[in-house]
Each structure stands twice: as structure tokens, then as C-alpha cells.
């Protein structure tokens, strides 16, 4: 509730919730309330770059940042920028730089334990449009579900209705304060209850695997370690607590489910239908020369005449399987046997 209070305040930069001027941190949450968007042409990125310059004017360098925009309940917008620098540094010089250079007063907060919690806070209402620095670690789990747009539309509709109610109600401020008091009392009542920590399920991890194109356990552990460095530990806990066998099964099942429809379609398609599809499709040798060049190189390296190989394949396809007509390719692994019989478009 403190954070909400300081954002609503007209003098948030001078609020009692401001950090101590001597306090040093490596991660800050910078908030520009009632932002003047005319000072920053590209809004989010322009403001984030200004914040970066305010820190790099001294000896520190910025590791990563994220900038999100949030609409005020009544009017105007404010920017949130969680920023991580390479060493502990005081925030006051950065605040003075922004005030002297751009004439703006921003607020520095330290209520978040690490960069991930600050990132999660600022992106919750700006899911699609927030900006991140180049090389920013991927802190998302998976793509949003198909119903997310519906939820967002309903949320915006509720906010619009609330704005209209506040505009026509003479005691809107009193109602809001009473509502805030009720929320505060409810939060205090729940403080004594133990909160059960939610863990990632196998299904959620499978969604992450497919969405991030993770192929094996090593890639999954590397991705989890990147998130763990920023304070997001749920995926790392899943990998370490479940063991190698379970993780490999989840990875295998994730891709098996992803390819299930294609596998079933291929299983139900006869060889004649496959040949018919290839016959009706565009010839890869005429429009996509890469496969032909690679195939000729493989045949040349193995001392197989290209014309003889083509005639054998043609005879097998025209006359069907039979004695002295089957084509068999033998050789060591990774020498191009499957490639010669699998003319895909490149």
C-alpha cells in the first residue's frame, strides 16, 4: 500500500517513502509519475535511455533494464523502469541528473528484493508493449494463453466503468479511501495465514519447453540458471527437485504432444498419397537449388554416378518394390543417406 500511496501523491519524489540518500543498491525501480510524454519522443525507450544515462555518467555500467507504461486511474500515465547496474551505487546523483537535464522528478524505490520481482511488477499491466534492453534475459515462462486478450479487454472495461463512476460520484474520494481501508484490513487478516507456495507443474514446464524451443535437459538447465540469476527460481527448483529421469520425460512428452497431430496425419497417409503430394508440389530442383547442389556433392563424394542413382530411384517408384528394383543406401552415420531420399524445400 505504501507504493500505491507514493504514486498517487503529487509530490512523490519528495515523499517520506523515498530511499535514504546514503543507501546503495544494485537494482532500483525508477518511477516517473504523471509523465510528460512530449519530453520523450518514443515514450518508453526514450525515458529508459535517459535513466541509463543518469547512472552511467559516473563509474557504473547498466546490465539490463525494462520500461513499462501504466495509466493513472483518473488521467495521465507514469513510467516504471527496473534497472540493474554492475555494482552498488547511490541513487541521488541519478535523480539530480534527471532533474537538471530533463526537468523531471522521479522516484527511486527499493521495495523489491531482486530484479525479477521488479520486472514482474512493472510488466503486469503492460504485457504487450513494454521495452527491454538489448540482451535482456528471458524472464517469461511461456506465451500468454489465447484467452489473455479477452481478460485484458474485460479488465479495461472494468477500469473504464470505474472512471465513469468516479467522475459522476461526489464522494468518490471517500469511497476510494473506504475501499482501501477494507483492502488493508483484509490483508492484515490474511497475514496470519500461511501462504502455500505455488510450484510449476509438468504441464507448465512443457509449455515453457515448447515455447522456448528447448530440446534437452542441458538447455533447460541453462535457461533456468539465467532466470535464477535474476531471482526467478521456480523453473530451477523444478529441474533440481524432479530429477533427471522426470525432466527428460517431460521434455520428451512436450515435443511428442507438439508433433502428435503431424505424426498422426503422416501415419494415416499412404505412400502413394505422399508421392502424389510430391508430384503435385513445385519441383525443388528448379526453384530451390540448394538441395540439388548438396545431393550432387554427396553422390560425388561417395563415387556414385548421379544419373545412375536417379534412374534406380525412378525405376523403383514407377515399377514398385520388387526383386532387383529396391534401392538400399549403406554407410556410416551422418553421411547423407536419409538426406538423398528426403527432398525438402530449403
Amino acid at each position: 500500500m505504501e507504493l500505491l500511496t507514493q504514486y498517487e501523491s503529487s509530490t512523490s519524489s519528495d515523499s517520506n517513502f523515498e530511499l535514504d540518500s546514503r543507501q546503495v543498491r544494485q537494482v532500483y525501480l525508477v518511477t516517473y509519475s504523471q509523465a510528460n510524454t512530449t519530453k520523450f519522443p518514443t515514450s518508453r525507450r526514450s525515458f529508459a535511455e535517459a535513466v541509463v544515462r543518469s547512472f552511467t555518467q559516473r563509474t557504473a555500467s547498466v546490465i539490463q533494464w525494462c520500461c513499462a507504461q501504466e495509466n493513472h486511474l483518473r488521467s495521465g500515465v507514469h513510467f516504471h523502469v527496473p534497472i540493474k547496474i554492475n555494482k552498488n551505487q547511490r541513487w541521488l546523483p541519478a535523480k539530480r541528473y534527471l532533474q537538471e537535464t530533463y526537468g523531471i522528478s522521479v522516484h527511486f524505490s527499493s521495495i523489491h528484493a531482486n530484479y525479477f520481482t521488479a520486472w514482474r511488477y512493472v510488466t503486469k499491466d503492460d504485457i504487450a508493449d513494454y521495452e527491454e534492453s538489448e540482451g535482456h534475459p528471458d524472464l517469461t515462462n511461456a506465451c500468454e494463453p489465447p484467452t489473455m486478450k479477452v481478460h485484458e479487454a474485460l479488465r479495461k472495461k472494468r477500469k473504464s466503468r470505474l472512471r465513469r463512476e468516479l467522475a459522476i460520484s461526489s464522494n468518490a474520494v471517500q469511497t476510494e479511501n473506504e475501499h482501501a481501508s477494507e483492502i488493508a484490513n483484509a490483508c492484515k487478516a490474511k497475514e496470519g495465514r500461511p501462504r502455500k507456495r505455488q510450484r510449476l507443474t509438468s504441464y507448465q514446464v512443457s509449455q515453457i519447453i515448447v515455447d522456448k524451443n528447448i530440446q534437452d535437459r542441458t538447455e533447460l538447465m541453462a535457461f533456468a540458471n539465467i532466470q535464477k540469476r535474476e531471482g526467478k527460481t521456480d523453473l530451477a527448483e523444478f529441474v533440481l527437485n524432479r530429477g533427471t529421469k522426470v525432466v527428460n520425460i517431460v521434455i520428451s512428452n512436450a515435443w511428442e504432444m507438439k508433433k502428435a497431430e503431424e505424426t498422426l496425419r503422416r501415419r494415416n497417409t499412404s505412400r502413394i498419397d505422399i508421392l502424389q503430394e510430391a508430384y503435385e508440389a513445385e519441383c525443388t530442383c528448379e526453384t530451390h537449388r540448394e538441395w540439388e547442389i548438396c545431393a550432387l556433392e554427396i553422390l560425388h563424394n561417395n563415387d556414385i554416378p548421379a544419373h545412375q542413382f536417379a534412374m534406380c530411384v525412378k525405376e523403383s517408384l514407377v515399377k514398385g518394390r520388387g526383386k532387383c528394383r529396391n534401392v538400399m543406401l549403406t554407410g556410416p552415420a551422418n553421411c547423407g543417406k536419409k538426406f538423398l531420399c528426403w527432398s525438402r524445400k530449403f
Side-chain angles (χ1 to χ4, degrees):
M1 297 304 296
E2 292 180 354
L3 193 61
L4 294 176
T5 303
Q6 61 195 9
Y7 289 162
E8 292 295 332
S9 174
S10 59
T11 59
S12 61
S13 60
D14 299 324
S15 171
N16 293 330
F17 301 110
E18 191 83 79
L19 293 174
D20 185 271
S21 60
R22 293 172 295 179
Q23 189 171 355
V24 295
R25 288 180 62 86
Q26 191 177 0
V27 176
Y28 288 101
L29 174 60
V30 184
T31 300
Y32 178 23
S33 186
Q34 292 294 345
N36 184 359
T37 55
T38 59
K39 293 186 177 182
F40 304 101
T42 57
S43 296
R44 297 171 180 83
R45 182 164 292 274
S46 297
F47 176 67
E49 290 173 351
V51 175
V52 170
R53 286 192 291 271
S54 70
F55 279 99
T56 56
Q57 62 172 332
R58 305 186 74 186
T59 58
S61 61
V62 175
I63 299 176
Q64 64 208 29
W65 55 262
C66 174
C67 185
Q69 177 178 310
E70 185 177 354
N71 295 326
H72 274 290
L73 189 60
R74 295 182 179 84
S75 63
V77 298
H78 57 246
F79 293 130
H80 292 301
V81 177
I83 187 169
K84 182 178 182 180
I85 53 182
N86 64 335
K87 62 179 183 179
N88 289 335
Q89 181 171 301
R90 288 190 175 93
W91 57 272
L92 192 56
K95 180 181 176 69
R96 288 173 177 169
Y97 173 86
L98 292 172
Q99 196 161 14
E100 294 171 0
T101 306
Y102 299 96
I104 61 175
S105 180
V106 299
H107 178 265
F108 288 76
S109 172
S110 64
I111 64 172
H112 295 280
N114 50 55
Y115 182 83
F116 169 67
T117 57
W119 175 90
R120 183 175 57 184
Y121 171 77
V122 304
T123 58
K124 67 182 187 303
D125 291 324
D126 196 10
I127 298 175
D129 300 323
Y130 63 85
E131 297 272 359
E132 291 181 334
S133 58
E134 185 178 356
H136 191 283
D138 190 348
L139 300 179
T140 59
N141 276 346
C143 292
E144 61 184 26
T147 57
M148 181 60 71
K149 293 183 179 179
V150 178
H151 291 309
E152 287 296 310
L154 292 175
R155 185 177 61 83
K156 291 180 180 179
K157 187 176 180 180
R158 287 194 297 268
K159 282 190 174 182
S160 299
R161 185 174 67 251
L162 183 58
R163 291 192 188 99
R164 291 194 299 268
E165 292 175 356
L166 291 175
I168 63 176
S169 177
S170 59
N171 58 349
V173 177
Q174 181 180 357
T175 304
E176 185 178 350
N177 292 336
E178 292 176 356
H179 182 62
S181 300
E182 292 176 359
I183 295 176
N185 294 333
C187 292
K188 290 180 180 179
K190 292 181 179 179
E191 285 181 356
R193 303 178 186 175
R195 296 180 60 185
K196 186 176 181 180
R197 187 177 181 184
Q198 293 185 350
R199 302 179 184 273
L200 287 177
T201 64
S202 297
Y203 172 75
Q204 291 172 327
V205 174
S206 70
Q207 294 293 101
I208 297 173
I209 290 169
V210 174
D211 188 71
K212 310 302 180 185
N213 195 26
I214 295 173
Q215 301 295 331
D216 54 38
R217 184 171 179 267
T218 303
E219 293 183 7
L220 183 62
M221 294 181 72
F223 180 71
N225 193 49
I226 292 174
Q227 293 190 338
K228 183 172 69 70
R229 286 200 297 266
E230 306 304 331
K232 188 176 186 298
T233 61
D234 51 356
L235 185 58
E237 291 174 0
F238 180 91
V239 174
L240 296 178
N241 292 338
R242 297 302 180 95
T244 305
K245 184 177 180 180
V246 174
V247 173
N248 288 334
I249 291 175
V250 172
I251 296 174
S252 175
N253 290 343
W255 287 111
E256 185 178 357
M257 180 175 291
K258 174 70 174 179
K259 302 174 182 177
E261 293 183 9
E262 179 63 23
T263 303
L264 184 61
R265 189 194 68 82
R266 173 63 181 84
R267 184 188 301 172
N268 295 332
T269 305
S270 64
R271 291 187 175 92
I272 297 298
D273 293 335
I274 295 174
L275 291 175
Q276 185 66 27
E277 290 178 4
Y279 175 76
E280 295 174 354
E282 190 177 13
C283 180
T284 58
C285 295
E286 295 178 359
T287 57
H288 302 273
R289 300 281 299 176
E290 293 186 23
W291 181 89
E292 182 185 10
I293 295 172
C294 295
L296 291 174
E297 183 179 351
I298 292 173
L299 293 173
H300 176 74
N301 293 339
N302 290 274
D303 298 325
I304 300 175
H307 180 72
Q308 180 183 354
F309 176 77
M311 291 301 297
C312 291
V313 174
K314 180 180 178 181
E315 183 181 10
S316 178
L317 293 175
V318 172
K319 298 182 179 180
R321 290 179 293 180
K323 194 172 184 179
C324 300
R325 290 200 299 267
N326 296 330
V327 179
M328 182 176 68
L329 299 175
T330 61
N334 300 323
C335 66
K337 300 187 297 294
K338 185 177 181 180
F339 178 82
L340 289 175
C341 298
W342 193 12
S343 175
R344 299 185 64 183
K345 293 183 179 181
F346 287 87

